[in-house]
Amino acid sequence: MPDTISEAPVVWFEDVRREDVALVGGKNASLGEMVRSLGDRGVRVPPGFATVAGAYWRFLEANSLNEVIKNRLAEFKSGKASLAETGNAIRSAFLKGDWPGDLASAIAEAYHKLCERIGEKDADVAVRSSATAEDLPDASFAGQQETFLNIRGEDELLAACRKCFASLFTDRAISYREAKGFDHLKVALSIGVQQMVRSDLAGSGVMFTIDTETGFDRIVLINAAWGLGETVVQGQVDPDEYQAYKPLLANGGLKPVLRKKRGDKIIKMVYARGGERATRTVPTSLAEREAFVLGDEEILQLARWACEIERHYGVPMDIEWAKDGHSGEIFVVQARPETVQSHAQTGVFKSYGIKSKGRTLATGLSIGGAIVSGRVCLIRDPGEIGRFEDGSVLVTENTDPDWVPIMKRAAAVVTDHGGRTSHAAIVSRELGLPAVVGTGNATRVLHDEQEVTVSCAEGEEGFIYEGVADFDVEELSVSDIPATKTQIMLNLANPAAAFRWWRLPADGVGLARMEFVVSNHVKIHPMALAHFDALKDEDVKRQIDELTRGYEKKADYFVDQLALGLARIAAALHPKPVIVRMSDFKTNEYAGLIGGAAFEPKEANPMIGFRGASRYYSPRYRDGFALECRAIHRLRDEMGFENVVAMIPFCRSVKEADRVLEVMAQNGLKRGENGLQVYVMCEIPSNVILAQAFAERFDGFSIGSNDLTQLTLGVDRDSEDLADLFDEQDAAVKWMIRNVIAEAHKAGAKVGLCGQAPSDHPEFARFLVECGIDSISVTPDSFISVKHHVAEAERKRGGQARNEDKNK
């Protein structure tokens, strides 16, 4: 073979570096880089080889294709031929071309050597296209050229290689290069030939080293489906979704898996033998649909590899992986730089909020974070592009690169199928479009000309509402935010939206509401799980069976889902403190959970009834509280989120505090053990009156201004008739706040406040600063304004203190 790599028609991956994009294209350069540099770090990449760009030019020269390409493109640009006619003519010319003898021999020889390495006579290979201008930072659309899977034997290989060359001139590739300004005759194509991983017998998917929606750079996002990975990439299947927390992956004793969402996975792509098709798509079994593709250890292994790859490349990465059904081994089969969130503007972001809306028509995965209204244009085939109206909401089953011209003209995209790493999701992000993917039924329930609102601003679930909704848009800037001595923290409840706010310079989470996670993610009353066999309502038991499918013990479902939901909140601002309030439903709210009616008493006034601390040691709920404690224990000790602080709500007496702390210790949550801090809500006058005694038992107080106001003034906070009397700035309420801060500080305990008042009233924020409060916890959308209010109050307080010193 020639002495230099550039002269050889075929090169092995281990001889290629990432700098060799001009020689073997982005895909193959990346594969070579990983084989060379990451194998000794445990990252498995299937062996293979690549043809060099010179081989492509040789093929063109041997078949006089330069003139064909030039003439056909000239006809297209002059309007004499359509894009489809041009692409078809050029591809046909490629497919009729003959291989130069030495080039065909070089490819065949390399294939046989690869078979020897693998240990099979005619090994199955994947044949991938790798354009020399591909996967650059400003050229981010994947899938412009073709990939051919399950190719076996010399003849099939050469035929697939010819098709790869031809795919440089798919309609979408021609259109893309025109839009990007690439010279068609200066872009070559390298062919990658790689051992097939038998993922048709197992599973495969895609992972990102950054959250694809928010840019949160501390998670690995993994999508997984059964069979070959094309169904995930093309958005044909609704995959499993997993998240792992990167900073805690290095500790092998921890399991920082933040999310495990099972997808429908109704189809899979497998091998096909006989005929011209090398693969086929078949339905999955019921067992496959109900199972996760990956176990926890496999999720963590992939996530650790993703971190190694990201560390090596120095940028967030988009990675394809596959699991071999014979060996059980997992392989990385592709990696490229992520090109959307890693280049996003970070100083300013828009916050959307729905004011009023029509009924919900469809739901799916939320892509993009925005809200738009528009008229539906339902298209099932890109051939109908002619009837698409600019600014419409594109509704379709799923998309592939042929849909990009339509997507560029859309206001939003809605699909029946696909996950966060599907084509529709990726391209929508690149185009800055809100999208709701994987709805399952959008093409059935929506129709042409229908006015709808697409909302992607309510967390991970996206909604299509009937009609034009009333919503507002606020531009938030994180630049020039003043520093404050008083800590400004966030109130968070929705795990699905927690990562949206990671760029805010908050000092932690001052209030994470457990009950939101229970009602929206767990959905089942914990006592109904702890005492499932005692349930008499067969419909309730059926619902519980459905939700807990896959769990050997019903109670484990509660612990698992609660821990996973809280983990995403804990991760958003880790390692800063995250104060998780144990459940604080009222009895009427608990009764609304699945199975809850059988365990909850009916009360005339639930607001001051069987709620908060009184439940935790009561026989009526003690077993349910034990499950809450197990979830917090898993969060801190098994997953590694030691920044989580437990907080007890509505604790009426010191005696009750002692009983609750005892029950917590019995369930693995002993104050002070493994650094566990326990706070108490200050929302009852007794908490203020006996502040020093409570401070001896708890590490801190969080003032719940709504309940404290209600119980200090004797005003039902939900009463419309008494609304004028409910005032958090009443002198009596302020006396309570001032005194609990002073008494707590004497005892060495911290005090914070979580409530809306500092957001709505700058003078209230000033009052809290004057009292010396340690922290204020607010909703994310009011964080910046409160930060400014507090900074101004601290400045004035400092000025007053200096004047007092001068006057002494």
Side-chain angles (χ1 to χ4, degrees):
M1 295 186 78
D3 292 334
T4 63
I5 186 173
S6 60
E7 294 174 353
V10 170
V11 293
W12 292 94
F13 286 155
E14 56 264 34
D15 295 324
V16 176
R17 301 168 300 164
R18 59 176 150 172
E19 293 86 0
D20 292 324
V21 172
L23 185 72
V24 294
K27 284 189 179 72
N28 291 333
S30 179
L31 284 168
E33 181 71 19
M34 288 191 292
V35 170
R36 285 169 62 100
S37 304
L38 295 174
D40 59 353
R41 300 188 205 176
V43 180
R44 284 192 292 267
V45 181
F49 61 89
T51 64
V52 299
Y56 171 80
W57 300 123
R58 284 280 318 282
F59 188 87
L60 261 62
E61 182 182 1
N63 292 282
S64 302
L65 291 174
N66 272 309
E67 285 303 310
V68 174
I69 296 169
K70 188 183 300 183
N71 293 336
R72 291 294 185 178
L73 288 173
E75 291 177 359
F76 168 59
K77 292 180 180 180
S78 67
K80 293 179 180 178
S82 68
L83 175 61
E85 290 170 335
T86 302
N88 186 60
I90 295 174
R91 293 193 300 274
S92 296
F94 269 94
L95 297 178
K96 293 174 183 175
D98 294 320
W99 285 102
D102 60 334
L103 187 52
S105 297
I107 294 173
E109 180 183 346
Y111 171 68
H112 292 305
K113 286 184 178 179
L114 179 59
C115 291
E116 290 177 10
R117 288 190 184 189
I118 297 170
E120 298 179 20
K121 182 180 178 184
D122 285 320
D124 299 323
V125 292
V127 182
R128 305 179 187 276
S129 305
S130 181
T132 58
E134 187 176 40
D135 295 328
L136 301 177
D138 62 343
S140 57
F141 288 13
Q144 297 301 321
Q145 287 77 46
E146 302 290 350
T147 292
F148 301 93
L149 305 176
N150 186 25
I151 302 301
R152 181 185 297 177
E154 184 178 317
D155 292 340
E156 279 191 26
L157 174 59
L158 290 172
C161 289
R162 189 185 285 109
K163 291 176 184 177
C164 276
F165 280 166
S167 75
L168 190 58
F169 289 90
T170 59
D171 297 354
R172 59 181 177 262
I174 295 171
S175 175
Y176 175 67
R177 289 195 297 274
E178 284 287 312
K180 287 290 184 179
F182 289 123
D183 187 334
H184 298 277
L185 290 172
K186 290 186 178 178
V187 178
L189 191 131
S190 166
I191 300 164
V193 179
Q194 187 178 32
Q195 178 189 359
M196 272 293 293
V197 177
R198 289 302 303 267
S199 58
D200 62 308
L201 303 175
S204 54
V206 178
M207 58 181 172
F208 287 81
T209 62
I210 192 171
D211 182 47
T212 53
E213 298 314 306
T214 64
F216 184 52
D217 59 2
R218 280 166 264 166
I219 67 160
V220 175
L221 169 68
I222 303 173
N223 276 179
W226 299 113
L228 303 173
E230 295 302 294
T231 57
V232 177
V233 175
Q234 294 173 8
Q236 296 174 332
V237 69
D238 301 324
D240 291 347
E241 182 175 309
Y242 315 111
Q243 293 174 357
Y245 189 61
K246 287 153 68 173
L248 298 177
L249 285 170
N251 185 332
L254 299 177
K255 293 185 177 181
V257 176
L258 304 183
R259 179 170 170 81
K260 291 168 63 180
K261 177 179 177 291
R262 188 168 53 235
D264 291 340
K265 309 183 295 290
I266 60 174
I267 59 171
K268 64 179 178 179
M269 184 178 286
V270 298
Y271 278 17
R273 276 293 162 212
E276 294 185 0
R277 292 188 306 156
T279 62
R280 62 193 179 104
T281 301
V282 299
T284 51
S285 67
L286 182 61
E288 287 174 318
R289 295 175 197 180
E290 293 179 348
F292 285 112
V293 174
L294 297 174
D296 283 0
E297 290 304 321
E298 291 171 320
I299 294 168
L300 295 171
Q301 179 190 44
L302 274 173
R304 291 186 182 107
W305 284 1
C307 291
E308 289 289 353
I309 294 169
E310 180 183 55
R311 192 176 298 116
H312 180 74
Y313 280 85
V315 294
M317 298 295 289
D318 169 359
I319 302 162
E320 295 176 27
W321 61 271
K323 179 179 177 180
D324 191 285
H326 285 313
S327 67
E329 292 182 319
I330 297 177
F331 295 85
V332 169
V333 296
Q334 187 52 248
R336 62 180 68 85
E338 192 275 344
T339 56
V340 180
Q341 287 294 345
S342 54
H343 293 85
Q345 184 181 10
T346 58
V348 177
F349 57 96
K350 293 181 178 179
S351 175
Y352 292 76
I354 287 270
K355 292 182 176 179
S356 62
K357 62 200 177 189
R359 66 188 178 97
T360 301
L361 302 175
T363 63
L365 293 174
S366 170
I367 307 296
I371 302 173
V372 300
S373 296
R375 289 186 176 180
V376 167
C377 186
L378 198 161
I379 295 182
R380 297 183 184 276
D381 188 288
E384 301 177 61
I385 186 173
R387 70 177 186 82
F388 186 81
E389 295 184 11
D390 289 359
S392 297
V393 175
L394 172 63
V395 178
T396 189
E397 293 178 355
N398 59 275
T399 69
D400 61 31
D402 289 329
W403 290 80
V404 172
I406 304 176
M407 296 172 75
K408 288 180 178 178
R409 297 160 50 198
V413 176
V414 179
T415 68
D416 285 346
H417 308 296
R420 296 191 191 283
T421 57
S422 65
H423 177 271
I426 291 172
V427 173
S428 293
R429 289 186 203 102
E430 292 173 345
L431 296 175
L433 296 177
V436 179
V437 301
T439 63
N441 63 353
T443 58
R444 293 200 306 274
V445 300
L446 304 178
H447 59 80
D448 277 332
E449 300 297 316
Q450 182 179 15
E451 286 194 329
V452 298
T453 297
V454 178
S455 174
C456 297
E458 301 172 70
E460 292 178 343
E461 190 171 19
F463 301 87
I464 294 90
Y465 298 119
E466 186 175 47
V468 178
D470 182 17
F471 63 91
D472 56 21
V473 185
E474 183 180 0
E475 194 169 88
L476 302 176
S477 174
V478 297
S479 59
D480 302 323
I481 295 178
T484 58
K485 180 181 178 182
T486 307
Q487 292 188 327
I488 309 301
M489 306 174 83
L490 300 180
N491 294 336
L492 295 178
N494 185 0
F499 294 165
R500 282 184 66 193
W501 308 105
W502 71 278
R503 287 192 174 100
L504 289 178
D507 294 301
V509 175
L511 176 62
R513 297 180 178 90
M514 180 183 287
E515 58 270 14
F516 184 97
V517 181
V518 173
S519 61
N520 289 276
H521 294 262
V522 181
K523 301 180 181 178
I524 305 172
H525 195 291
M527 291 294 285
L529 293 166
H531 298 279
F532 177 77
D533 293 337
L535 292 173
K536 294 185 171 39
D537 189 323
E538 291 301 319
D539 183 57
V540 166
K541 294 180 79 171
R542 181 191 55 77
Q543 291 182 64
I544 293 175
D545 277 335
E546 180 70 24
L547 285 171
T548 59
R549 186 173 291 136
Y551 287 88
E552 187 175 337
K553 296 179 180 178
K554 303 292 185 187
D556 290 345
Y557 165 83
F558 185 93
V559 175
D560 190 42
Q561 293 300 311
L562 181 56
L564 287 172
L566 292 173
R568 280 183 280 166
I569 297 175
L573 293 173
H574 181 272
K576 296 173 183 176
V578 172
I579 302 172
V580 176
R581 186 175 69 189
M582 308 303 280
S583 67
D584 192 27
F585 286 122
K586 286 72 176 176
T587 49
N588 58 321
E589 295 168 335
Y590 269 114
L593 297 172
I594 297 171
F599 298 95
E600 294 298 329
K602 292 185 179 180
E603 297 182 298
N605 192 348
M607 185 71 78
I608 54 173
F610 186 47
R611 63 175 285 201
S614 62
R615 299 179 64 92
Y616 302 158
Y617 55 85
S618 167
R620 278 183 175 273
Y621 189 74
R622 186 166 179 153
D623 292 343
F625 184 64
L627 299 184
E628 294 184 25
C629 291
R630 279 178 56 192
I632 298 296
H633 183 273
R634 176 176 297 181
L635 195 61
R636 287 179 48 84
D637 294 75
E638 296 178 29
M639 301 174 76
F641 291 104
E642 295 181 356
N643 59 322
V644 168
V645 176
M647 183 160 67
I648 306 303
F650 223 76
C651 188
R652 294 173 168 95
S653 68
V654 172
K655 180 180 178 181
E656 189 165 67
D658 290 334
R659 295 181 74 176
V660 170
L661 290 169
E662 181 182 355
V663 172
M664 290 180 70
Q666 290 169 359
N667 287 287
L669 295 181
K670 185 175 182 181
R671 180 188 170 208
E673 197 169 272
N674 295 329
L676 174 65
Q677 293 187 59
V678 183
Y679 279 32
V680 65
M681 290 291 294
C682 176
E683 48 196 344
I684 305 170
S686 61
N687 302 142
V688 180
I689 296 166
L690 299 177
Q692 289 206 20
F694 277 100
E696 291 172 5
R697 290 158 173 82
F698 295 100
D699 298 285
F701 294 79
S702 181
I703 300 169
S705 55
N706 284 340
D707 271 336
L708 186 60
T709 301
Q710 173 177 245
L711 296 175
T712 298
L713 300 179
V715 175
D716 181 351
R717 72 189 200 192
D718 294 329
S719 171
E720 293 182 9
D721 294 332
L722 301 177
D724 291 343
L725 294 175
F726 187 88
D727 183 8
E728 292 168 304
Q729 299 197 75
D730 185 275
V733 179
K734 293 174 79 171
W735 184 93
M736 290 282 185
I737 292 172
R738 185 183 296 109
N739 275 273
V740 76
I741 293 172
E743 293 301 312
H745 284 171
K746 286 180 185 176
K750 295 179 180 179
V751 186
L753 180 140
C754 51
Q756 190 61 28
S759 307
D760 297 338
H761 307 291
E763 65 274 17
F764 192 72
R766 286 197 294 272
F767 162 72
L768 294 174
V769 170
E770 290 167 3
C771 291
I773 200 162
D774 297 295
S775 66
I776 300 172
S777 191
V778 298
T779 56
D781 57 348
S782 61
F783 174 85
I784 293 175
S785 62
V786 171
K787 192 79 168 170
H788 282 284
H789 294 331
V790 170
E792 178 65 14
E794 289 181 348
R795 186 183 65 79
K796 289 182 178 179
R797 187 186 186 202
Q800 291 171 355
R802 285 191 295 272
N803 289 334
E804 290 172 3
D805 289 341
K806 289 179 181 178
N807 294 331
K808 286 181 180 178

